Amino acid sequence: MLRIGQATYDALVEHAKRDHPVEACGMVVGPIGSDRPERHIEMVNAAGSPTFYEYDSTDLLQLYKEMDDRDEEPVVIYHSHSATEAYPSVTDINLAGEPGAHYVLVSTREHGNNPGPVEFRSYRIIDGVVTEEEVTVIPEESS
């Protein structure tokens, strides 16, 4: 099960809507071994494509160095689908290289970047096997 804070959930949805029709992509990282998505990092889709995403290799290398320095790992790896359901494509499955991560897909196909709901789903992808998991959005603590 993916447990994600409301503010992080909202940030992923906002990113997907803002970048529509181009696929948005990024990660939410957290302390190694914690399974806690704590720090949201928007990435640029270097492909600029509405049908696939690609991280800029320099940006990705920098992010992994930063995570290493901070004892963090990818907890959520996300991207959007602008014209199809929130289900991993064959390419998504083949590129899934973090067996401990939650792979989140946000589909903006119904409303695009206009107001309205999105499809937000999470999967585990291990050795090419896709397993959907429940998503629980945790309300933020009021201060």
Side-chain angles (χ1 to χ4, degrees), residues 17-31:
K17 284 182 165 283
R18 179 172 17 96
D19 282 9
H20 180 90
V22 171
E23 287 195 4
C25 57
M27 295 185 196
V28 187
V29 302

Side-chain angles (χ1 to χ4, degrees), residues 2 7 28 32 37 51 55 66 68 97 103 117 125:
L2 171 62
V28 187
I32 292 173
T51 57
Y55 295 127
E66 187 179 302
D68 190 51
Y103 286 88
I125 305 174

Side-chain angles (χ1 to χ4, degrees), residues 24-47:
C25 57
M27 295 185 196
V28 187
V29 302
I32 292 173
S34 71
D35 199 37
R36 288 194 327 257
E38 295 183 351
R39 187 166 68 94
H40 174 221
I41 297 124
E42 285 188 13
M43 301 289 283
V44 172
N45 180 348

Side-chain angles (χ1 to χ4, degrees), residues 32 39 62-72:
I32 292 173
R39 187 166 68 94
Q62 181 60 40
L63 174 58
Y64 270 85
K65 286 180 179 178
E66 187 179 302
M67 285 190 294
D68 190 51
D69 290 345
R70 297 172 62 132
D71 294 323
E72 294 173 323

Side-chain angles (χ1 to χ4, degrees), residues 62-96:
Q62 181 60 40
L63 174 58
Y64 270 85
K65 286 180 179 178
E66 187 179 302
M67 285 190 294
D68 190 51
D69 290 345
R70 297 172 62 132
D71 294 323
E72 294 173 323
E73 65 184 352
V75 177
V76 170
I77 298 172
Y78 75 92
H79 73 282
S80 62
H81 282 179
S82 59
T84 60
E85 70 176 319
Y87 189 84
S89 68
V90 171
T91 301
D92 297 337
I93 295 165
N94 290 337
L95 293 176

Side-chain angles (χ1 to χ4, degrees), residues 77-133:
I77 298 172
Y78 75 92
H79 73 282
S80 62
H81 282 179
S82 59
T84 60
E85 70 176 319
Y87 189 84
S89 68
V90 171
T91 301
D92 297 337
I93 295 165
N94 290 337
L95 293 176
E98 293 282 351
H102 303 269
Y103 286 88
V104 166
L105 280 102
V106 180
S107 176
T108 57
R109 69 179 169 169
E110 190 173 342
H111 296 285
N113 52 16
N114 297 309
V118 297
E119 188 180 2
F120 188 106
R121 295 164 72 183
S122 183
Y123 305 87
R124 294 293 189 151
I125 305 174
I126 301 170
D127 296 328
V129 177
V130 178
T131 306
E132 188 166 7
E133 62 183 351

